[in-house]
Amino acid sequence: MTITGFVLLTLALVFALTKQTKLFVVSVLTGSVFLIVAAVQTIFFNESVIWLMTLPQPWGTAEMGYTPLSAFFAIIIGFGSSMSVLYGSGYLKKYSREGLSSHLFFLGLLIISMNLTVYLRHSMLFFLAWEMMSLSSFMCILFEHKLSETRKSAIYYFSFMQVSAFFLLIGFGLAYKQTGSFDFGAFQDLGYLPALFIGIGFAIKTGFFPFYSWLPIAYPAAPSHVSGLMSGVMMKTGIYGILLLMAMTNISLTAMYVIAGISLLTAFLGVIHALAESDVKKVIAYSSIENAGIIGLGIAFAHIGLLTEHTVMAGLSMVGLLLHSLNHSLFKPLLFFLSGNISQQTHTREIDQLGGLQKRMPSTGTLFLIGSLAISGMPMFNGFISELFIYLGMLDGLNRNNFNLNIGSILCAAGLTFVGALALFAFVRLYGLVFLGEPRSDKARNAVEVSKSMITTPGILAGLCFLLGLPGSIYLNFFNHILQYQGFWFEITPALTKAFNLVSLVFLIIGILILIMLILRRRIVKEVHPTWGCGYEKPSSRMQYTGNSMIHPLAYFIKPFIKKQDVMNYDKALFPESFTFEAKVHDFIHETLITPVKKAVLAFLNLFAGIQKGNTQVYISYGLVFLLIVLTWAILVVK
């Protein structure tokens, strides 16, 4: 199954180079199906074919094959890649065919490399796949390479990915020094230093604090089908790597509390920047940082429970983090795909230039509402059920004879609750300003609905966001195989099963009632009138909330955590004829950490700028000086 899947994905590269788009899509879909089937067989039936590859010394023997954990992430990669390619086939129709074959080639290469990262068990081969994933995603971002902003964003992203690769390479080298093997199976009881380097490498890819500043720069610059793939799927390779590392290391309880604190800070900073941003795709990108923090909390409390022998805490948190990884791979591409619909039809992503799109793009608006409810963790949607597992895992830490665990559980549960409330407000703001009210510009006023090909894929994802929010106890049994493989085990008690079944039943009844109400409303309501204007004869979009004014009640609270710049341009006359106001949000991590480092590196490199003279004779003299130094060294030093 797996070999067939990889062959079909490789064949898709040939179709991409020959500009056979439909065959490319079919080949990716069928290849992904084969890999998903192989992954499902591994999880439920323990049927995994292990391939051995003998490499030249000192690389040893490389194992390839799925484990229950990697198989789960292979399902996420396979399904997410299929959805991205399906949506991309419609999204790319409005672009010229110039550069299309190379874009599809690198998109296919990205899909192959992501699958290889969860299939390979040899650290050096894994590293090669990791670098191929970084390079191919970099090239995918550069689809609109004629835009200078796109080029800058892509280079910024690739720089971070190389830093990630640097840490991974050092970490794998130190692990080889300790174990004498490059095989993941031999990486047991890794020391503090290799674990730290490897962990930082994976944390950069995932977007944990303080390494997240590349996400809101890279995701908006990429085409929307690539943004959804990178955020919903590629980010999970970092989560997979962290879970892999946890199994290789005897990590201390103190370290897990630190990881919990970092994760909570990551979630908080992500959501407050999502509240303040005025770019639709940047809001969604910052929300990815928030969700990375939520998954990080699940990782932390799963291992805290394991170390303190609280099996229920460990099991519930582990189910929660895996389920939230799956759910995030559904609602995040959904929102990015729909942002692509908005930008294609309005030619802008600025919230303050949109509005009133629900009437003009009803399908996009309805699906965006479903995605917003899911990502906000509202009941009846998949985001709620996965966060509920993590909450329950934290709350299991209460009433224990462990002061640190009690305090940690209370602080993290309260913090996650607050983050959830801010996330709901952020997406109420986003949906309300983009889809409700009156259009704020001609771009929004002239918008029309996209073609069915760009609605079908988001429709599938929205349906899954609702369906996966209903079952509860099913997840306990589904993830049990993975939990046992990772060393987690907890008893699925009848009381726990009954509680989740009751929640599922209530959600199902509420969902059916809402559906009946919508059907009756459509049949009963015969006339549609304009929204009541509160007595105003000529309502204007200038009377509506802007993105900045809507968060004003929270401004006093979030101001210390974000760097905001207000830009005003107006005539100096007594009665100015024009006035413009723009609020720009700057990421303080980028401003306080990345920018000074960048300036220091450029200043250091500028010390050598004088070497470049543009004169061939000077360059020849450099070579002669170098040869003279080598000759002197050989005579005086080498014996």
Side-chain angles (χ1 to χ4, degrees), residues 472-483:
S473 60
I474 293 175
Y475 294 125
L476 297 173
N477 297 300
F478 175 80
F479 289 109
N480 205 25
H481 300 81
I482 304 172
L483 264 62

Side-chain angles (χ1 to χ4, degrees), residues 54 58 120 218 229 271 327 366 493 565 594 622 624:
T54 303
L120 299 170
L229 184 64
V271 76
N327 290 337
T366 303
T493 62
Q565 178 186 5
I594 306 301
Y622 290 159
L624 292 174

Side-chain angles (χ1 to χ4, degrees), residues 362-572:
S363 298
T364 296
T366 303
L367 295 175
F368 200 97
L369 176 61
I370 293 173
S372 298
L373 292 171
I375 201 171
S376 302
M378 295 302 290
M380 293 196 305
F381 295 93
N382 58 347
F384 171 81
I385 198 72
S386 54
E387 290 187 30
L388 178 62
F389 275 106
I390 297 175
Y391 276 118
L392 292 175
M394 292 178 183
L395 295 177
D396 188 70
L398 303 177
N399 299 320
R400 304 283 184 178
N401 296 323
N402 188 324
F403 178 78
N404 291 335
L405 182 57
N406 279 320
I407 294 298
S409 298
I410 291 171
L411 291 177
C412 289
L416 185 56
T417 303
F418 185 58
V419 166
L422 292 178
L424 176 60
F425 187 66
F427 279 92
V428 166
R429 169 181 175 267
L430 180 62
Y431 175 78
L433 294 175
V434 172
F435 290 97
L436 303 182
E438 295 294 324
R440 294 175 178 81
S441 67
D442 290 335
K443 295 176 180 179
R445 192 172 290 109
N446 299 326
V448 294
E449 188 59 271
V450 295
S451 63
K452 290 183 179 179
S453 62
M454 295 174 66
I455 290 295
T456 303
T457 305
I460 295 170
L461 294 171
L464 288 173
C465 286
F466 177 72
L467 291 175
L468 294 184
L470 295 179
S473 60
I474 293 175
Y475 294 125
L476 297 173
N477 297 300
F478 175 80
F479 289 109
N480 205 25
H481 300 81
I482 304 172
L483 264 62
Q484 290 177 7
Y485 173 78
Q486 288 295 106
F488 293 83
W489 183 89
F490 74 108
E491 184 181 359
I492 304 173
T493 62
L496 192 61
T497 303
K498 185 178 179 180
F500 275 108
N501 287 338
L502 182 61
V503 171
S504 301
L505 180 62
V506 171
F507 287 172
L508 181 61
I509 292 172
I510 294 173
I512 293 172
L513 290 175
I514 292 173
L515 182 62
I516 293 172
M517 288 173 61
L518 291 173
I519 294 172
L520 291 176
R521 182 179 180 277
R522 178 167 290 186
R523 292 187 176 184
I524 293 171
V525 176
K526 300 299 182 182
E527 297 182 7
V528 178
H529 298 280
T531 304
W532 181 50
C534 302
Y536 290 101
E537 290 294 329
K538 294 182 179 180
S540 168
S541 61
R542 296 177 64 184
M543 300 175 183
Q544 300 175 151
Y545 276 112
T546 63
N548 195 43
S549 63
M550 194 168 183
I551 63 165
H552 186 71
L554 288 173
Y556 71 96
F557 174 75
I558 65 175
K559 189 176 181 180
F561 303 100
I562 60 175
K563 188 175 181 181
K564 198 172 181 183
Q565 178 186 5
D566 295 335
V567 180
M568 292 182 288
N569 296 308
Y570 56 91
D571 296 336
K572 300 294 184 181

Side-chain angles (χ1 to χ4, degrees), residues 88-246:
S89 63
Y91 178 83
L92 292 170
K93 286 180 180 178
K94 289 197 173 183
Y95 290 89
S96 67
R97 294 184 63 83
E98 181 186 357
L100 180 62
S101 60
S102 60
H103 176 73
L104 293 179
F105 175 83
F106 285 111
L107 181 61
L109 197 62
L110 173 59
I111 293 169
I112 292 173
S113 57
M114 287 191 297
N115 279 285
L116 284 174
T117 56
V118 297
Y119 189 69
L120 299 170
R121 303 186 191 179
H122 187 277
S123 58
M124 287 298 101
L125 293 182
F126 175 92
F127 180 78
L128 290 175
W130 189 269
E131 278 290 78
M132 186 167 71
M133 179 171 63
S134 298
L135 178 62
S136 55
S137 55
F138 164 72
M139 297 303 295
C140 285
I141 294 172
L142 279 172
F143 178 62
E144 296 184 89
H145 58 88
K146 293 181 180 179
L147 301 175
S148 62
E149 191 64 30
T150 299
R151 295 195 298 271
K152 291 178 182 177
S153 300
I155 293 171
Y156 189 90
Y157 161 76
F158 194 62
S159 301
F160 262 84
M161 292 306 99
Q162 294 314 296
V163 174
S164 169
F166 168 79
F167 278 101
L168 283 180
L169 190 60
I170 297 296
F172 288 152
L174 292 172
Y176 172 75
K177 183 179 179 181
Q178 178 183 328
T179 63
S181 174
F182 290 105
D183 191 74
F184 284 149
F187 289 2
Q188 299 298 324
D189 301 328
L190 288 182
Y192 172 78
L193 207 55
L196 179 64
F197 275 93
I198 295 172
I200 291 174
F202 288 134
I204 294 173
K205 175 68 78 174
T206 308
F208 282 107
F209 174 86
F211 310 113
Y212 63 72
S213 64
W214 64 268
L215 277 84
I217 292 176
Y219 289 171
S224 289
H225 62 288
V226 176
S227 302
L229 184 64
M230 291 174 65
S231 176
V233 180
M234 189 184 75
M235 193 180 87
K236 304 307 179 302
T237 59
I239 299 295
Y240 167 71
I242 292 171
L243 291 173
L244 202 63
L245 176 64
M246 294 295 179

Side-chain angles (χ1 to χ4, degrees), residues 61-82:
T61 302
E63 278 192 9
M64 296 176 289
Y66 290 133
T67 63
L69 179 66
S70 65
F72 170 73
F73 284 94
I75 293 172
I76 292 177
I77 292 170
F79 184 77
S81 300
S82 301

